[in-house]
Amino acid sequence: MNLSFHIAKRYLFSKKSHNAINIISSVAVCGVAVATMAMICSMSVFNGFEDLVSKMFSSFDPELKITPVKGKVFDSQSPEIIEIKKLPEIQIFSEVLEDNVLLKYEDRQVPGTLKGVSDNFNKLVPIDSSLFDGTFKLSDSSNYYATLGIGIAFKLGAHAGAVYPIEIYAPDRNSKINALNPLSSFKNEAVYMSGIFQIDQPVYDDNIVIVPIELTKSLFDYNNEISSLEIKLKSEKDIEKTQKTIGKILGENFEVKNRYQQQEASFKMMSIEKWMTFLILCFILIIAIFNIIGSLSMLVIEKQKDVITLRNMGADNQLISWIFLFEGWMISIIGAIIGIIFGVLLCLIQQYFGLLKLSDVDGTFVVDAYPVQVIFTDALFVFFTVMAIGFLGALYPVYYLSKKWLK
């Protein structure tokens, strides 16, 4: 095996009598390098977008969220929930009561989702960093306050610090609908608008209104019931361990989700797009590998005299086949190494200098330049993928040509 590799290396870097072999080999290396570089760059861009979206959601989603499997609400004073609140790994928890409502401001009406939270909600998630206007405030001695998503605030035509309150309507779940007087079947509360947040995610910006949980309990006629318990841990390293601990305490009637699981559909879609793009680039790599077939074909023909010499020295067909197989494989490996180096360099340049813009006008998108993030495991996966495809690409022509020429 070492002898085959040594001879293959000499063949690869030595001058050939036919210059076309050198040209085809160089083209093969360049083709593999370009395809590998494209893989690294595309995967890094998807990683960058995934990291960007994760940071957006992290300004609103808690580290862990407990919700019931069936129904909308559960008892916040049940023994299991009380036990969870006392866990030493938990730094902060916030009780949340969430449901759909109708919002009315002056002559505009918009449906939305009312999210009642505890007073420490701004310590649970960095909502203050996402404020577009105003301040995050839940209540004072005389009034309740609301913080709206930028989308729903625009639909209402409301702004932070507005003089007029926002009226909130919700069906009275303890009364029947009165066809003669439908308004009597609704309960309503009024809140003043303290701020506007912008997460740059429509699921939040266009729907969520944050208010004190006391207001939602009064509006929906609940006492100790909550729709979720949101948790922040003392250390992010304990998330997986604490998630399992809480799951064991609660059993099958509750779901305990981390940030990824709370937005599982979004992240799965991005992951599918990432690996579909990778698969398409693999097909392009396979096309580039075809150049190796031409290079090996000409090399086998040129080295007929060397093959006879090796046979006279005792070499069998297997050893000779491995020589050409190693040469084809080395072309792929060299191309992969060059492609990974240039791909990582391009990504680092983009990461620190942002040369490739999303738009010519700054501020049009959430970020001005394409976000990138190089992950070592992705680069390693690309390298082994190129090696595997390169080996398979060289395997068939070597054995086919060996039957025809190595007799």
Side-chain angles (χ1 to χ4, degrees):
M1 192 69 71
N2 291 334
L3 178 61
S4 300
F5 178 77
H6 179 72
I7 297 173
K9 186 173 65 173
R10 291 292 301 271
Y11 279 173
L12 181 63
F13 296 105
S14 63
K15 292 183 179 181
K16 285 82 172 176
S17 58
H18 298 282
N19 193 45
I21 301 177
N22 292 321
I23 296 173
I24 295 174
S25 298
S26 301
V27 170
V29 170
C30 292
V32 173
V34 170
T36 304
M37 183 174 63
M39 286 180 177
I40 293 291
C41 292
S42 64
M43 294 182 77
S44 298
V45 169
F46 277 107
N47 292 335
F49 276 111
E50 186 173 335
D51 182 63
L52 177 65
V53 172
S54 177
K55 288 178 180 177
M56 289 179 182
F57 281 126
S58 67
S59 62
F60 200 87
D61 290 337
E63 292 177 356
L64 290 176
K65 185 176 182 178
I66 301 172
T67 55
V69 174
K70 295 181 180 179
K72 288 185 177 181
V73 296
F74 60 93
D75 187 0
S76 63
Q77 300 303 315
S78 65
E80 296 87 354
I81 299 299
I82 292 175
E83 182 181 353
I84 288 168
K85 292 177 180 178
K86 293 180 180 179
L87 289 175
E89 298 90 346
I90 295 177
Q91 180 179 356
I92 298 170
F93 63 85
S94 174
E95 295 180 351
V96 175
L97 183 57
E98 191 172 338
D99 211 335
N100 297 324
V101 295
L102 179 68
L103 304 168
K104 182 176 181 294
Y105 181 74
E106 295 185 327
D107 59 342
R108 297 189 182 187
Q109 298 180 7
V110 175
T113 301
L114 196 67
K115 180 169 183 172
V117 299
S118 302
D119 294 335
N120 60 353
F121 182 74
N122 61 330
K123 296 179 181 179
L124 182 79
V125 294
I127 187 68
D128 291 326
S129 63
S130 301
L131 289 175
F132 176 79
D133 187 23
T135 59
F136 179 78
K137 187 178 181 181
L138 292 174
S139 63
D140 57 22
S141 58
S142 56
N143 295 305
Y144 288 132
Y145 292 91
T147 304
L148 283 69
I150 189 170
I152 199 166
F154 177 77
K155 293 175 185 177
L156 287 171
H159 58 86
V163 177
Y164 299 103
I166 297 172
E167 295 180 62
I168 305 172
Y169 292 88
D172 188 348
R173 66 189 189 92
N174 294 322
S175 66
K176 296 181 179 180
I177 296 176
N178 188 340
L180 297 176
N181 185 16
L183 286 177
S184 64
S185 303
F186 286 83
K187 296 188 68 175
N188 74 297
E189 295 280 353
V191 293
Y192 288 92
M193 187 170 168
S194 66
I196 299 173
F197 68 84
Q198 184 177 6
I199 309 295
D200 291 307
Q201 295 296 323
V203 65
Y204 294 142
D205 291 345
D206 295 345
N207 296 285
I208 299 294
V209 177
I210 305 173
V211 297
I213 193 169
E214 293 80 12
L215 183 145
T216 53
K217 286 182 176 180
S218 172
L219 189 64
F220 301 133
D221 286 320
Y222 286 122
N223 294 315
N224 295 325
E225 294 86 353
I226 57 175
S227 56
S228 64
L229 185 68
E230 300 186 349
I231 296 170
K232 180 180 181 180
L233 304 180
K234 293 178 181 178
S235 173
E236 291 187 2
K237 297 178 181 179
D238 298 330
I239 290 178
E240 186 176 352
K241 179 182 176 182
T242 307
Q243 185 179 7
K244 291 179 180 178
T245 301
I246 293 173
K248 290 179 181 178
I249 295 172
L250 293 176
E252 298 179 353
N253 294 326
F254 291 86
E255 290 182 329
V256 186
K257 295 183 177 181
N258 56 34
R259 278 178 175 151
Y260 177 85
Q261 292 167 336
Q262 291 169 47
Q263 305 296 335
E264 191 172 7
S266 299
F267 286 114
K268 274 189 175 180
M269 183 60 67
M270 294 186 68
S271 179
I272 290 171
E273 291 174 349
K274 172 182 174 179
W275 293 111
M276 285 300 295
T277 303
F278 178 81
L279 185 61
I280 292 170
L281 291 172
C282 281
F283 283 111
I284 296 174
L285 175 63
I286 291 171
I287 295 172
I289 293 294
F290 281 127
N291 290 306
I292 297 175
I293 298 175
S295 176
L296 289 178
S297 301
M298 297 184 68
L299 187 66
V300 170
I301 296 171
E302 185 188 69
K303 300 299 181 181
Q304 285 297 298
K305 293 182 180 180
D306 291 359
V307 169
I308 295 172
T309 303
L310 288 170
R311 275 184 176 160
N312 292 334
M313 295 174 66
D316 55 12
N317 284 347
Q318 184 178 5
L319 186 145
I320 296 169
S321 296
W322 273 106
I323 292 173
F324 297 105
L325 183 61
F326 273 129
E327 173 148 359
W329 201 15
M330 280 191 290
I331 292 173
S332 301
I333 293 173
I334 292 170
I337 293 172
I338 294 173
I340 288 173
I341 291 172
F342 278 94
V344 171
L345 284 175
L346 281 175
C347 290
L348 291 176
I349 291 171
Q350 175 65 18
Q351 182 177 341
Y352 289 102
F353 299 102
L355 300 181
L356 191 60
K357 302 290 184 180
L358 284 166
S359 173
D360 295 332
V361 181
D362 292 343
T364 305
F365 297 97
V366 179
V367 289
D368 296 326
Y370 278 93
V372 293
Q373 183 183 27
V374 180
I375 298 178
F376 174 75
T377 52
D378 282 351
L380 201 62
F381 182 77
V382 168
F383 178 73
F384 283 113
T385 300
V386 175
M387 284 182 63
I389 294 175
F391 181 80
L392 294 174
L395 188 62
Y396 174 76
V398 166
Y399 279 95
Y400 174 78
L401 291 168
S402 65
K403 291 178 181 179
K404 185 175 181 180
W405 296 99
L406 305 180
K407 296 180 182 179

